Amino acid sequence: MPTQSTSPSRVYLGCAGWSLPREQWPAFPVEGTHLQRYSARFSAVEINSSFYRAHRPATYAKWADSVAPGFRFSVKVPRQITHERRLIDCEGWVDEFLGQCSQLGEKLGCLLVQLPPSLAFDDAVARAFFTALRDRYQGPTVLEPRHPSWLAPQAMALLQAERIGRVAADPSPLPDGDQPAGWPGIRYYRLHGSPRIYYSPYEDAWLAHLAEQLKADPHTPTWCIFDNTASGAATADALRLMKLLRD
């Protein structure tokens, strides 16, 4: 039976969602739910569906009970907060969201805050939002901004002060956006597929270079999530990277 990766410690490797393409089924156990089969090989998963709709606390608790103790979930913050409210006056939404996903318990590994490309950095708005978030949740949190104003020194200073990592995205609309930044206590690689976003698989040489980057800092907790799921490439890419990390 396939067993979970022996990748370097503190690397949380997985995909955006736990759907398994049929052609990859031989790499996973035959029995169990999709999540149980997925978690037999990977150490982490990013829950994207929370961006689009709320999940009941009991659903999060069930997911947590389905996986091994060392498995971790990253949960994407709802679009009502990031895209509709645009980080403004959304404390109630944050409370509701945290009340749901906190049922993951210690398996809640990270929160992902992805901003719309049109949302520019506003110091007062960003400071109020992250202060309110930190008043309620002190765990690992990363930000994927997509407006160049978030590269400003004030934005970087805020992320460091609030212990918020900046996502290393591929592809990224930001200069040097493919490298981790913000608070240095966490690294979060979010790989959307290139050149065709969400579809393209990554070439072997690109994955080999990524593996060396991940191995270069074995002490910082590091997430590596493949989001090129539209044609099923994410699972195969994550399995290939797993082998490179293990070797």
Side-chain angles (χ1 to χ4, degrees):
M1 177 181 294
T3 56
Q4 197 175 91
S5 163
T6 55
S7 300
S9 60
R10 305 176 79 82
V11 173
Y12 298 101
L13 172 63
C15 304
W18 52 78
S19 177
L20 298 175
R22 182 177 293 272
E23 61 269 21
Q24 300 299 330
W25 282 6
F28 296 86
V30 174
E31 298 180 353
T33 65
H34 285 289
L35 176 56
Q36 288 170 330
R37 296 167 64 205
Y38 169 97
S39 65
R41 296 301 310 276
F42 297 126
S43 56
V45 72
E46 183 183 278
I47 299 176
N48 267 212
S49 54
S50 55
F51 177 77
Y52 299 100
R53 65 184 185 279
H55 297 299
R56 294 184 300 115
T59 299
Y60 282 108
K62 181 179 70 174
W63 289 338
D65 289 340
S66 299
V67 298
F71 189 89
R72 293 293 181 267
F73 295 85
S74 172
V75 188
K76 192 172 182 180
V77 170
R79 62 181 174 182
Q80 288 91 344
I81 294 171
T82 56
H83 287 55
E84 296 176 13
R85 299 297 307 175
R86 298 172 70 85
L87 307 184
I88 299 173
D89 296 334
C90 49
E91 288 84 353
W93 287 100
V94 172
D95 287 335
E96 183 177 352
F97 169 63
L98 291 175
Q100 296 158 4
C101 68
S102 64
Q103 296 305 303
L104 291 170
E106 64 180 11
K107 295 170 186 174
L108 173 56
C110 190
L111 296 184
L112 166 66
V113 183
Q114 185 193 54
L115 302 181
S118 62
L119 184 53
F121 174 71
D122 181 296
D123 186 69
V125 170
R127 192 171 300 277
F129 171 75
F130 284 117
T131 297
L133 178 64
R134 282 308 191 205
D135 285 345
R136 295 159 169 81
Y137 173 79
Q138 291 75 48
T141 304
V142 294
L143 174 72
E144 185 178 5
R146 291 181 286 176
H147 190 282
S149 60
W150 285 87
L151 300 176
Q154 301 97 307
M156 291 295 99
L158 176 61
L159 295 183
Q160 293 192 23
E162 297 294 348
R163 297 174 291 111
I164 307 292
R166 196 187 77 197
V167 167
D170 180 78
S172 173
L174 305 181
D176 298 322
D178 60 345
Q179 295 299 313
W183 183 59
I186 188 172
R187 298 190 299 169
Y188 198 108
Y189 293 81
R190 198 158 189 257
L191 311 176
H192 301 296
S194 182
R196 188 184 181 195
I197 192 169
Y198 305 129
Y199 285 86
S200 294
Y202 286 97
E203 296 181 354
D204 290 340
W206 195 94
L207 291 176
H209 178 69
L210 174 63
E212 293 305 313
Q213 287 183 292
L214 299 182
K215 292 177 182 179
D217 183 0
H219 304 295
T220 301
T222 299
W223 288 71
C224 185
I225 298 295
F226 287 89
D227 188 35
N228 51 340
T229 56
S231 60
T235 305
D237 284 353
L239 288 170
R240 286 192 291 150
L241 179 60
M242 178 192 300
K243 184 177 187 302
L244 290 168
L245 292 173
R246 189 168 56 232
D247 292 345

